Amino acid sequence: MAAPEVWTERMLTALVTGLKGNRWFSLVDKVYQFETLVAAWEKVQSNAGGSGVDGITVNRFQKTCPDGLLVLKKQLQEASYQPKPVKRVWIAKPGSSEKRPLGIPTVRDRIAQTALRRVIEPIYEATFAEHSYGFRPGRGCKAALRRVQHLLDEGCTWIVDADLKSYFDTIPKARLMAGRRADRGWPRAGVD
C-alpha cells in the first residue's frame, strides 16, 4: 500500500495507469521528507529490536528523536548519510543444532531503510507477480498456504517444495554486478 505521506494523487495514478517512459525520477526528496522519516521511525519503534553496532537502542533514540530525525533528514538531503556496519549475531535454527547469521542495523539505519522502502515499494508492488508471497506487504506464509489449498481444491495434485541451502551466499555477485545494463546502469534481470 502506498504511504499517504509520500504518494500524491498524481503519483498514485501513475502507479495504476503506468508512467511515461516507464521511469521514476528523483524520489530521494520523498525519502528525506520529514513526514516520511516520522512514519518510518514509528514503524521501527513499533518493531523494537536490538541495538546495532553503535549501541543505541530504540528507547535511547526516542529520547532525542526529533533532533535525530532532523540530523538524518539533513544527511539524506545533502547526500552525506553513511550507514554504519551491520552488527552480526548468530541465532539458532529451529529443529537444528546449526545457527544462522542475523544482521542488525542501527536504529538510524533502520529508519532510513524503512523510509526508502515506503517510497519505492509501491513502484515494485505494481509489477510483482500476483502469486508471489515472500517479503511482500500483507502477504506471507499463510497466504501462500491458502493459495496451495485453493489449488489442491481445484484438483492440482503436485506440490514442489524446494529449499536451496545458502542460496544468497552462492549468488555470483561479481558476474551479477558486471552485467549492468548500459542504458540504465541497473543489473540485468538474468545472468548469462
Side-chain angles (χ1 to χ4, degrees):
M1 178 174 197
E5 73 278 354
V6 174
W7 291 84
T8 64
E9 214 41 59
R10 184 173 164 218
M11 292 170 76
L12 289 171
T13 301
L15 279 175
V16 174
T17 62
L19 192 64
K20 185 178 180 180
N22 213 17
R23 274 188 173 176
W24 291 90
F25 292 93
S26 190
L27 293 171
V28 71
D29 62 316
K30 306 288 188 249
V31 175
Y32 62 70
Q33 187 174 324
F34 192 69
E35 293 80 7
T36 305
L37 293 175
V38 168
W41 158 243
E42 289 170 353
K43 179 68 174 168
V44 168
Q45 187 179 29
S46 73
N47 290 341
S51 63
V53 295
D54 62 0
I56 297 175
T57 63
V58 169
N59 288 337
R60 184 169 161 202
F61 188 90
Q62 183 177 11
K63 293 176 184 174
T64 61
C65 178
D67 290 338
L69 292 180
L70 288 171
V71 168
L72 180 57
K73 173 185 170 59
K74 184 178 181 189
Q75 289 174 340
L76 290 167
Q77 193 170 12
E78 295 174 349
S80 64
Y81 167 76
Q82 290 291 315
K84 299 276 189 216
V86 174
K87 180 178 173 182
R88 175 72 68 175
V89 296
W90 294 88
I91 60 172
K93 284 186 174 182
S96 169
S97 62
E98 291 183 49
K99 294 190 176 201
R100 69 177 180 89
L102 179 68
I104 304 175
T106 64
V107 172
R108 182 182 72 104
D109 291 343
R110 292 197 305 257
I111 294 168
Q113 291 169 5
T114 303
L116 178 62
R117 181 191 54 79
R118 293 177 70 81
V119 172
I120 66 173
E121 185 173 73
I123 295 169
Y124 291 100
E125 277 298 316
T127 59
F128 281 160
E130 178 185 356
H131 296 296
S132 171
Y133 298 95
F135 305 99
R136 296 196 45 209
R139 296 173 182 236
C141 292
K142 290 181 182 179
L145 289 171
R146 282 192 295 273
R147 175 68 178 153
V148 168
Q149 185 61 56
H150 173 77
L151 292 170
L152 289 171
D153 292 345
E154 285 188 339
C156 292
T157 57
W158 287 87
I159 296 175
V160 177
D161 181 16
D163 185 7
L164 303 176
K165 182 175 174 71
S166 302
Y167 176 73
F168 288 104
D169 297 337
T170 62
I171 293 173
K173 294 167 190 71
R175 285 181 59 200
L176 184 65
M177 296 311 290
R180 292 181 178 270
R181 286 189 194 167
D183 61 335
R184 291 193 180 133
W186 295 345
R188 290 188 305 218
V191 176
D192 298 326

